[in-house]
Amino acid sequence: MRVFFSPRQLAHAPASEFSRGEMIAFRECPVRAQSILAALAAAGFPAPEQPDDPGLAPVLAIHDGEYVDFLRTAWTRWRAGGATVAAYPTAWPVPGIGERRPDTVEGLLGWYIFDSGTPIVAETWDAVKAGADTAHAGALAVATGARSAFALCRPPGHHAARALAGGYCYLNNAAIAAQALRDQGAGRVAILDVDYHHGNGTQEIFYERGDVLFVSLHADPAFGYPYYTGYGDQSGRGAGEGTTLNLPLAAGTTEAEWLAALDHGLGRLGDFAADAVVVSLGVDTWEGDPLSHFKVSARAFPALGARLAGLGLPTLFVMEGGYATAELGKNVVGVLSGFEDA
């Protein structure tokens, strides 16, 4: 398995996020990637390859140009107004007042970022662009003959929609990778999202497309972030009708129930007859993760990898969530080793 990682991703390190009424230490911290790198090395995986810079074309194939310009310039504009701390939105275009795109950076922060936990600091753009480059490099590796690759992307990406950031996500790495696979000749691509949270951004990007299947196992939005998407009756629209499969799971979901949902999702992948698979790999489903309300043990991760290997398809793993940093690397290696050993 080829591994891709850019150290530039470590520079994005906001100090805090707003959660449940208080400022807390930022959970999506550089230690996450460092934990995974250490575990990969200890398990004997090859040294990470640094991605090439393909420019903005892969990003703009997925994301709106004005949104990308906002991400590139937001920090400079924020600082120009005299601010010295991280940029957070403080107002949002909710129904009733969300009709016109504002001009000021303060207004644009709410226009383009849907929550209060996704700040912008000086290093954000360079880090998220490096993450997109990492996913793109992994896709090219799989497209040119590698059986599998792991793109260690940080920040994660699956909450980022075409013109929207949130949930620690700014650019949708998995979507960028899926499009790169299509551009390299894959007729159909499947995205399997196993993160604890629904990949609302990935769903939005491909909701009306029939060439990319999106299957997601996640906490039921009736109780779990991001709350407003991921319901079972959201199945696609137009040319994409039937190419979205949401499998929302209740709080307290057991390991057996989670694996049964996984098998259901993998069955849909088999029916789709994809040429390649992108796995949005979140391991925040683990029972010890601070954001999880599932009862999924570490044993499930090698089982996930083995089931994915059983598809017999070129497979790209793109890192998403997982916030129990002491165990994060072990759980990621569990998935990748399960795939390799199957």
Side-chain angles (χ1 to χ4, degrees), residues 17-311:
E17 62 180 280
F18 190 71
S19 177
R20 297 186 64 84
E22 61 180 340
M23 297 300 288
I24 63 171
F26 198 65
R27 290 191 180 100
E28 203 289 291
C29 53
V31 173
R32 296 181 62 245
Q34 292 164 336
S35 169
I36 296 168
L37 290 168
L40 290 170
F45 280 81
E49 304 172 48
Q50 291 199 34
D52 293 331
D53 184 351
L56 281 176
V59 171
L60 293 173
I62 290 297
H63 291 287
D64 174 76
E66 289 186 342
Y67 169 68
V68 173
D69 286 342
F70 161 75
L71 291 178
R72 295 173 66 190
T73 63
W75 178 252
T76 300
R77 297 179 65 183
W78 179 250
R79 287 296 305 273
T84 58
V85 296
Y88 294 84
T90 55
W92 288 271
V94 297
I97 63 168
E99 298 175 0
R100 297 189 182 184
R101 181 179 179 271
D103 295 325
T104 66
V105 67
E106 291 84 1
L108 290 172
L109 285 164
W111 187 259
Y112 285 128
I113 303 175
F114 67 78
D115 67 9
S116 57
T118 311
I120 290 178
V121 295
E123 301 83 5
T124 298
W125 168 251
D126 189 57
V128 301
K129 173 60 165 59
D133 294 347
T134 299
H136 184 261
L140 293 186
V142 169
T144 54
R147 173 181 179 242
S148 61
F150 173 49
L152 176 44
C153 297
R154 190 227 152 231
H158 71 150
H159 293 305
R162 179 166 173 76
L164 203 60
Y168 308 134
C169 304
Y170 305 83
L171 296 176
N172 195 309
N173 304 310
I176 289 167
Q179 185 61 50
L181 287 166
R182 287 282 291 111
D183 293 341
Q184 290 293 313
R188 310 184 100 190
V189 176
I191 300 174
L192 174 67
D193 191 329
V194 295
D195 190 278
Y196 176 77
H197 306 95
H198 180 244
N200 60 285
T202 312
Q203 174 172 294
E204 186 249 24
I205 289 165
F206 295 112
Y207 204 62
E208 298 185 8
R209 287 178 53 171
D211 58 333
V212 178
L213 173 71
F214 176 60
V215 175
S216 179
L217 291 70
H218 52 267
D220 193 322
F223 77 91
Y225 181 94
Y227 306 114
Y228 309 112
T229 68
Y231 291 93
D233 59 357
Q234 295 173 331
S235 59
R237 183 185 302 119
E241 178 61 44
T243 58
T244 293
L245 174 63
N246 285 313
L247 299 170
L249 301 170
T253 288
T254 66
E255 189 168 320
E257 291 168 335
W258 188 82
L259 289 171
L262 173 65
D263 288 338
H264 180 64
L266 292 175
R268 181 70 184 91
L269 261 70
D271 294 340
F272 186 69
D275 299 304
V277 178
V278 176
V279 182
S280 271
L281 180 58
V283 294
D284 43 0
T285 48
W286 180 55
E287 59 192 353
D289 193 279
L291 299 184
S292 178
H293 294 278
F294 291 170
K295 297 178 179 178
V296 175
S297 78
R299 294 186 305 270
F301 297 123
L304 165 62
R307 282 165 162 81
L308 287 165
L311 294 172

